[in-house]
Amino acid sequence: MQTIKQLKSRLDELKGQRTILSNQLSKLKQERKENVRETRRYEQAKEIIREVGQKTQEQLQYHISDITSLALEAVFDEPYKLEVEFVQRRNKTECDIYFSRNGNRVNPLQASGGGAVDIASFALRIASWSLNRPHTRNTIILDEPMRFVSENLRDRVSSMLLEISRKLNLQFIIITHDNTIARYSDKIFDVTIRKGISNVKVQEGNNSY
């Protein structure tokens, strides 16, 4: 039989436990609210990142496709257009590149001529350079850049190279055996080897300025 004193002591103990539990419950409720707010902020941030990523991809698609398609149009009478598509594979964003004509897509390396691939590869390099901020040095070295382009199109290719060089203030250092491209240059370094010794003859090109 508990005495009144013991019962009162037990009651005070239970009151103390209730106070502790009440404080813990209040703390847990506050933490839950913070977690809900944090989750909401996280979801909002994730959506912003998704939208920025999507807009960036759209801008890249336009930038890359536009520059490359213009280069192809400058050379070919019935040119392909280059299409860029960003896709998700294996939890990664990958970029697929196609040539398209009359609504039909083809793999550039399998179903188009080497000349078109040469032009597209060059234009993609220019597009990549133009995306750098700040730009790297305004010099690009090209080694036999248009070797698969038909002979009858070399003048168009050379004009395109000259136009891009002047509009973008971009210097091309071109290693080539193609006399047409050489004629459009500002300066020609004619290198010959005799008995293991390199001889360099410098002459002005037709477009020196």
Side-chain angles (χ1 to χ4, degrees), residues 5 19 22 31 48 78-79 95 98 103-104 119 125 147 165 168 182 185 188 198 200-201:
K5 185 176 180 179
T19 300
S22 178
E31 289 178 352
I48 291 172
E78 296 183 6
C95 178
Y98 304 96
N104 297 316
I119 299 298
R125 188 170 178 183
R147 59 186 178 277
S165 174
L168 299 183
S185 64
I188 302 170
S198 296
V200 181
K201 181 181 178 181

Side-chain angles (χ1 to χ4, degrees), residues 144-155:
E144 299 288 355
M146 309 297 176
R147 59 186 178 277
F148 293 116
V149 177
S150 300
E151 187 71 30
N152 63 313
L153 298 175
R154 297 295 173 87
D155 278 305

